[in-house]
């Protein structure tokens, strides 16, 4: 029986498909579903049939022609069971990529054969590196004018610093694309029939023989660096067998030493089947990718999970979805087995839950199953939890490490249009918060408004639109508010005594020390704060030191300059005084809060704004207009690149200047320009803007205090 289970695990692949927006990920997934017999007709993303791609099951996705939520499906290719997650390429939905990569064993990085490595390809690659995900690359759109897979290969090596190597070269390019040459078997494959379903194997065309030999030699040379058997044959100029070469490529790919690159065109139905063979041949099964959990019993030490159906259950909820039948929880099972009717425990709060229904997913349809084992990706109904929760069978105290959640950069004040829909409004916010960790909701105490925060304008727009459609709740949204920060520019000493005498015991606390700018390492998050205790001789009793730290942190949530959180400050507490009767934890907390307020404006405070990395692509004739538009928005242009009649302009622009950019870009380029942007860093705002922000903040405070 164990051997049977082993065989099943060896034939499982959990993969994701990720890329820059519009590289053809969803189109590729549609072809994979067709060739594996999952669907019987191909639909396009912006198809004339009005059906839309299978994996884009939300109405909004079909209207906008983009993928918003990662969708899961599972297919069978030859003997292999493949769980696939199709993820969005738009930077506003980056959490969807994060949560998918967190649970996957391998990935396909889709690259456009014309544009090559684009801004979002770099972000996706960084996310794959963060979770140590082995990958294949698929150079898509080779049927398009200007397609060049060899240039894309150079870009992948240069821009992504990946040891990429071609395992195929195309037969023809642009409108002459017919198939691919497989450099492992040294055979040519042609794809014909109305949907590319007829595969013909032939000898390599004479005009490609030398090129194929050259790239095969490069492939063997790269693999020889990581495999002694291949290295020996390479040095003695012997040709390795197909089986030896495949095994060596697999080993190097799983070790993330090389990235095999495939070629084709999903839209023209060319070479997708050979990519599926590559998934089977080169990407890891669940036993070949190391996954780690934290042991609650043992100081949260990392423990490698055992991919064993007989081990205690450890499952990770990586995504929530409110479906027709209630909350659907997507789970990756790392170890153990779960059956319908089992009791499972949420490691976060210890809640015991009965598993009412287990399903295998296929976009928005599902199949009921009785049980699922280690290595599988499934979904459960009726399990109330948050994204990122770990479930066990109660016999283990392991929790999976959580995924990286980026900080929000934009906020909006929202309110329901009609009082009658207020209940739906709060229901919607609660639901979205549970499903998306980057969607944050809080109440502004001063203005009494509900504030939603997220990753970009489109991110929040989609949620407002979903409230209207899914919850029948029209929303009024205020002006977008940028997530500014404050910091200080000079070392300033504080010496503050807090005294309050009321009936009975009073309050007394004295704190002395200095605040100074905290040197943050290049590339580190500016959300930094450091507290140093240098009090000697018991001038402040030890039990009150945490109160001082807490007081400073509390005060830093809202700075006196523009009312935003203070970052990048080091507080050193050097002296103080206390009273035997009147001193308390609260007194020291109040003293430290007041101390910071008192000296803050002397410490040369600086307002910081989020700077976005902007990449704009437009036809060359509009280059001047696009660059002019970026300069008007206080943008710093960092580079331009011209390719096939289009210019790509990269720049850094303050987020506050980016509202309405999509409308301006459309009118400046007659609708032909497009852009992507993502958070880059925080930087000081110009002095005149800081003064304006400070003035506005003081006016707001004065109005509230009336």
């Amino acid at each position: 029986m164990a051997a049977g289970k082993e065989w099943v695990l060896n034939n499982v692949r959990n993969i994701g498909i990720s890329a820059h927006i519009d590289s053809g990920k969803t189109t590729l997934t549609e072809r994979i579903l067709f060739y594996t017999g999952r669907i019987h007709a191909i639909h396009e993303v912006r198809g004339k049939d009005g059906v839309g791609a299978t994996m884009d099951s939300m109405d909004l996705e079909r209207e906008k022609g983009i993928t918003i939520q990662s969708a899961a499906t599972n297919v069978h290719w030859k003997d292999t069971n493949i769980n696939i997650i199709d993820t969005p390429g738009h930077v506003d939905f980056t959490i969807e990529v994060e949560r998918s990569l967190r649970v996957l064993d391998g990935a396909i990085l889709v690259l456009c054969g014309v544009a090559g490595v684009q801004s979002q390809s770099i972000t996706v690659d960084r996310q794959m590196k963060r979770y140590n995900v082995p990958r294949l690359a698929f150079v898509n759109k080779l049927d398009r004018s200007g397609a060049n897979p060899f240039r894309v290969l150079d870009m992948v090596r240069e821009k992504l610093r990946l040891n990429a190597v071609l395992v195929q070269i195309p037969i023809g390019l642009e409108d002459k694309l017919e198939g691919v040459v497989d450099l492992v078997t040294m055979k040519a494959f042609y794809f014909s029939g109305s949907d590319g379903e007829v595969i013909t194997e032939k000898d390599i065309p004479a005009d490609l023989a030398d090129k194929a030999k050259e790239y095969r030699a490069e492939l063997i040379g790269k693999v020889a660096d990581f495999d002694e058997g291949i290295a020996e044959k390479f040095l003695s100029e012997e040709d390795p067998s197909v089986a030896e070469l495949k095994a060596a490529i697999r080993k190097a790919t799983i070790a993330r030493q090389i990235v095999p690159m495939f070629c084709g065109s999903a839209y023209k139905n060319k070479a997708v089947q050979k990519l599926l063979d590559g998934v089977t041949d080169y990407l890891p099964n669940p036993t070949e990718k190391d996954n780690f959990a934290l042991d609650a019993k043992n100081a949260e030490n990392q423990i490698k999970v055992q991919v064993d159906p007989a081990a205690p259950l450890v499952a990770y909820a990586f995504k929530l979805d409110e479906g027709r039948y209630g909350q659907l929880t997507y789970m990756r099972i790392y170890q153990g087995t779960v059956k319908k009717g089992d009791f499972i425990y949420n490691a976060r709060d210890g809640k015991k839950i009965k598993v009412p229904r287990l399903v295998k997913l296929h976009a928005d349809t599902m199949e009921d199953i009785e049980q699922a084992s280690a290595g599988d990706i499934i979904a459960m109904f009726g399990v109330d939890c948050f994204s990122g929760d770990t479930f066990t069978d109660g016999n283990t105290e392991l929790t999976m490490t959580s995924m990286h959640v980026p900080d929000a950069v934009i906020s909006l004040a929202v309110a329901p249009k009609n009082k009658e829909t207020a209940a739906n409004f709060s229901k919607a916010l609660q639901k979205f918060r549970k499903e998306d960790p980057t969607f944050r909701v809080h109440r502004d105490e001063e203005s009494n408004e509900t504030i939603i925060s997220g990753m970009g304008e489109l991110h929040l727009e989609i949620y407002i639109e979903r409230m209207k459609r899914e919850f029948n709740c029209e929303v009024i949204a205020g002006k977008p508010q940028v997530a500014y920060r404050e910091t200080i520019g000079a070392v300033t000493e504080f010496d503050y005594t807090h005294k309050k005498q009321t009936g009975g015991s009073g309050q007394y606390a004295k704190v002395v020390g200095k605040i100074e700018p905290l040197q943050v390492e290049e590339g580190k998050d500016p959300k930094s704060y450091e507290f140093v205790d240098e009090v000697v001789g018991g001038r402040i009793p030890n039990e009150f030191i945490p109160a001082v730290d807490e007081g400073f942190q509390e005060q830093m949530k809202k700075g006196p300059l523009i009312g935003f959180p203070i970052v990048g400050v080091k507080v050193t507490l050097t002296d103080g005084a206390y009273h035997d009767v009147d001193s308390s934890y609260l007194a020291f907390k109040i003293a430290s809060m007041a101390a910071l307020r008192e000296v803050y404006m002397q410490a040369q405070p600086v307002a910081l704004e989020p700077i976005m990395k902007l990449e704009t692509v437009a036809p060359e004739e509009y280059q001047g207009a696009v660059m002019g538009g970026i300069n008007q928005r206080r943008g710093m242009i960092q580079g331009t690149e011209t390719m096939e009649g289009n210019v790509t302009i990269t720049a850094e622009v303050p987020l506050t200047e980016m509202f309405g950019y999509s409308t301006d870009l459309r009118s400046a380029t007659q609708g032909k320009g497009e852009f992507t942007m993502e958070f880059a860093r925080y930087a000081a705002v110009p002095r005149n803007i800081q003064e304006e922000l400070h003035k506005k903040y003081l006016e707001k405070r004065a109005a509230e205090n009336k």
Side-chain angles (χ1 to χ4, degrees):
M1 187 64 194
K5 279 177 185 168
E6 189 60 27
W7 177 85
V8 173
L9 271 174
N10 285 346
N11 288 291
V12 171
R13 301 287 180 274
N14 292 316
I15 67 162
I17 300 180
S18 305
H20 183 90
I21 192 164
D22 270 352
S23 298
K25 297 182 306 300
T26 304
T27 306
L28 174 63
T29 312
E30 193 76 5
R31 298 315 184 267
I32 289 172
L33 296 176
F34 177 75
Y35 295 130
T36 54
R38 259 291 180 191
I39 56 173
H40 304 295
I42 292 171
H43 299 291
E44 302 307 339
V45 174
R46 294 186 177 91
K48 293 187 176 69
D49 57 8
V51 176
T54 309
M55 297 295 272
D56 285 346
S57 56
M58 270 170 77
D59 291 345
L60 266 169
E61 293 179 308
R62 294 185 172 179
E63 280 168 34
K64 290 181 182 279
I66 61 169
T67 302
I68 293 168
Q69 295 184 316
S70 43
T73 188
N74 97 292
V75 298
H76 292 277
W77 178 246
K78 297 177 181 172
D79 291 332
T80 308
N81 184 2
I82 308 173
N83 287 314
I84 300 175
I85 294 185
D86 172 34
T87 59
H90 201 289
V91 69
D92 283 13
F93 308 106
T94 188
I95 191 64
E96 292 286 341
V97 185
E98 288 278 348
R99 62 165 121 226
S100 305
L101 290 173
R102 170 69 188 77
V103 299
L104 295 171
D105 301 325
I108 299 171
L109 175 64
V110 184
L111 299 160
C112 172
V114 182
V117 174
Q118 295 160 279
S119 63
Q120 198 60 19
S121 322
I122 297 170
T123 304
V124 167
D125 172 66
R126 196 167 57 231
Q127 291 170 319
M128 287 182 186
K129 284 173 180 158
R130 182 182 292 139
Y131 298 110
N132 301 325
V133 177
R135 76 209 77 162
L136 310 176
F138 179 63
V139 186
N140 192 21
K141 301 194 176 184
L142 292 184
D143 58 300
R144 279 181 51 187
S145 161
N148 182 346
F150 307 105
R151 185 182 61 220
V152 177
L153 175 69
D154 293 338
M155 287 175 87
V156 169
R157 288 173 178 172
E158 188 189 316
K159 289 191 174 181
L160 301 181
R161 302 193 191 288
L162 292 174
N163 189 12
V165 57
L166 286 168
V167 290
Q168 294 175 346
I169 58 170
I171 301 169
L173 277 175
E174 301 178 354
D175 55 353
K176 294 185 177 63
L177 179 71
E178 292 178 66
V180 293
V181 171
D182 185 330
L183 300 175
V184 177
T185 60
M186 287 303 270
K187 288 285 181 191
F189 292 89
Y190 295 84
F191 303 85
S192 54
S194 58
D195 294 315
E197 71 280 12
V198 180
I199 305 171
T200 314
E201 184 181 322
K202 292 184 181 176
D203 288 332
I204 297 171
D207 61 334
L208 279 177
D210 289 345
K211 199 170 204 174
K213 278 182 189 148
E214 177 199 331
Y215 280 100
R216 179 181 165 87
E218 183 181 277
L219 167 65
I220 294 171
K222 289 262 189 196
V223 174
D225 292 342
F226 309 105
D227 188 285
E228 285 175 22
I230 300 286
E232 278 172 29
K233 292 206 168 187
F234 183 65
L235 293 170
S236 56
E237 295 188 4
E238 276 180 61
D239 212 22
S241 71
V242 169
E244 285 172 331
L245 189 50
K246 276 190 175 177
I249 295 172
R250 178 181 182 81
K251 191 170 116 189
T253 305
I254 292 172
R256 302 191 318 284
Q257 302 289 355
I258 67 166
V259 174
M261 285 182 74
F262 292 75
C263 300
S265 163
Y267 185 60
K268 292 287 188 212
N269 310 314
K270 299 275 188 277
V272 174
Q273 298 95 320
K274 298 305 289 177
L275 175 66
L276 280 167
D277 287 341
V279 168
T280 305
D281 292 340
Y282 307 131
L283 286 180
N285 66 49
T287 63
E288 292 169 310
K289 167 106 183 337
D290 291 347
N291 284 297
F292 295 91
L294 305 177
D295 188 356
K297 276 193 219 158
N298 190 6
E300 297 216 325
N301 282 346
Q302 280 204 344
I303 284 189
K304 191 176 157 188
V305 293
Q306 313 158 41
V307 188
D308 176 3
L313 176 72
V314 175
Y316 181 76
F318 66 96
K319 177 175 159 56
L320 311 180
D321 210 349
E322 199 74 33
R324 292 188 293 263
Y325 314 107
Q327 183 174 300
L328 183 64
T329 306
Y330 289 65
M331 295 250 193
R332 161 79 198 252
I333 300 170
Y334 283 99
Q335 66 176 43
T337 299
V338 64
K339 295 186 178 76
K340 193 172 152 183
D342 276 359
F343 284 101
I344 57 173
Y345 295 81
N346 188 332
R348 179 176 52 84
D349 56 16
K351 265 192 191 161
K352 180 177 166 185
I353 297 163
K354 187 175 183 180
V355 179
R357 190 178 168 201
L358 283 177
V359 292
K360 269 288 208 195
L361 291 154
H362 169 46
D364 61 345
T365 61
M366 52 202 70
E367 299 150 26
D368 278 281
I369 53 172
E370 290 303 310
Q371 69 170 60
S373 297
D376 212 348
I377 291 177
I378 48 113
M380 293 184 189
F381 271 111
V383 173
D384 185 31
C385 66
F386 281 81
S387 204
D389 283 354
T390 302
F391 287 89
T392 70
D393 57 3
N395 297 323
T396 178
E397 286 189 41
L398 297 181
T399 56
M400 297 310 294
T401 52
S402 60
M403 61 197 152
H404 170 78
V405 179
D407 280 342
V409 291
I410 183 170
S411 300
L412 274 180
V414 288
K417 213 171 194 177
N418 309 314
K419 289 271 189 309
E420 301 82 71
T421 57
N424 285 6
F425 175 71
S426 48
K427 217 184 277 177
L429 293 180
Q430 183 63 17
K431 178 202 161 186
F432 298 153
R433 234 181 70 215
K434 266 176 130 180
E435 20 174 282
D436 181 354
T438 57
F439 179 78
R440 297 165 171 92
V441 183
H442 74 275
R443 258 199 108 56
D444 186 326
E445 296 303 322
E446 289 170 6
S447 63
N448 229 354
E449 289 176 318
T450 301
I451 310 290
I452 57 171
S453 312
M455 303 309 299
E457 264 186 297
L458 180 64
H459 188 209
L460 299 184
E461 248 173 57
I462 293 287
Y463 278 117
I464 287 173
E465 188 60 32
R466 281 184 65 191
M467 278 189 221
K468 186 173 150 187
R469 295 183 185 208
E470 293 170 33
F471 290 87
N472 200 14
C473 174
E474 294 254 5
V475 169
I476 308 164
K479 218 175 141 224
Q481 173 67 69
V482 170
Y484 289 103
R485 295 284 179 266
E486 298 183 21
T487 191
I488 55 170
V491 180
T492 307
E493 295 184 344
F494 60 84
D495 181 342
Y496 188 84
T497 307
H498 169 64
K499 273 188 202 164
K500 196 173 179 192
Q501 209 61 46
T502 50
S505 62
Q507 288 182 359
Y508 180 86
K510 181 177 180 176
V511 288
V512 179
K514 62 177 179 180
I515 56 170
E516 60 190 305
L518 182 60
Q519 299 309 314
V520 182
E521 289 169 49
E522 189 67 32
K524 281 280 171 75
D525 191 351
K527 191 176 62 198
S528 41
Y529 160 77
E530 197 180 303
F531 178 75
V532 180
D533 169 20
E534 286 182 2
V535 176
V536 289
R539 303 278 297 167
I540 299 177
N542 282 344
E543 67 263 30
F544 296 142
I545 301 291
V548 179
D549 182 9
E550 200 182 305
F552 277 107
Q553 287 195 55
E554 184 70 32
Q555 191 54 51
M556 287 170 76
K557 285 179 184 170
K558 201 166 193 180
L561 180 68
I562 57 170
F564 279 86
I566 303 168
V567 295
V569 174
K570 180 180 176 182
V571 176
T572 308
L573 183 65
T574 54
D575 199 2
Y578 73 102
H579 185 278
D580 286 337
V581 177
D582 291 352
S583 286
S584 64
Y585 193 91
L586 182 66
F588 273 97
K589 186 176 168 181
I590 292 169
S592 52
M593 287 171 78
L596 182 60
R597 276 200 305 271
E598 186 179 71
V599 301
Y600 184 73
M601 296 308 278
Q602 298 156 33
Q604 295 171 16
V606 179
L608 302 172
E609 63 184 345
I611 303 291
M612 309 303 279
K613 181 182 163 204
L614 173 73
E615 188 175 276
T616 308
V617 182
E620 262 181 281
E621 64 262 33
Y622 301 111
Q623 182 169 348
V626 172
M627 288 171 84
I630 292 170
N631 287 329
Q632 277 175 355
R633 293 171 182 269
R634 291 198 285 127
M636 296 284 288
I637 290 167
Q638 295 182 312
T640 59
E641 204 177 313
T642 309
M643 201 188 289
E644 310 300 333
N646 278 334
V647 65
T648 301
I649 300 162
T650 46
E652 286 197 339
V653 192
L655 175 63
T656 181
E657 303 288 344
M658 286 304 293
F659 300 124
Y661 181 63
S662 52
T663 313
D664 288 358
L665 180 66
R666 273 199 295 271
S667 56
T669 61
Q670 294 183 1
K672 293 173 188 155
E674 53 184 52
F675 74 98
T676 57
M677 80 178 171
E678 63 178 312
F679 173 72
R681 59 196 170 86
Y682 272 94
V685 305
R687 177 64 57 188
N688 60 324
I689 294 177
Q690 177 169 315
E691 282 166 8
E692 211 176 287
L693 288 169
H694 181 54
K695 196 171 136 202
K696 272 188 189 159
Y697 176 60
L698 293 179
E699 283 168 5
K700 185 182 164 196
R701 290 278 306 274
E704 280 160 4
N705 291 335
K706 269 183 185 172

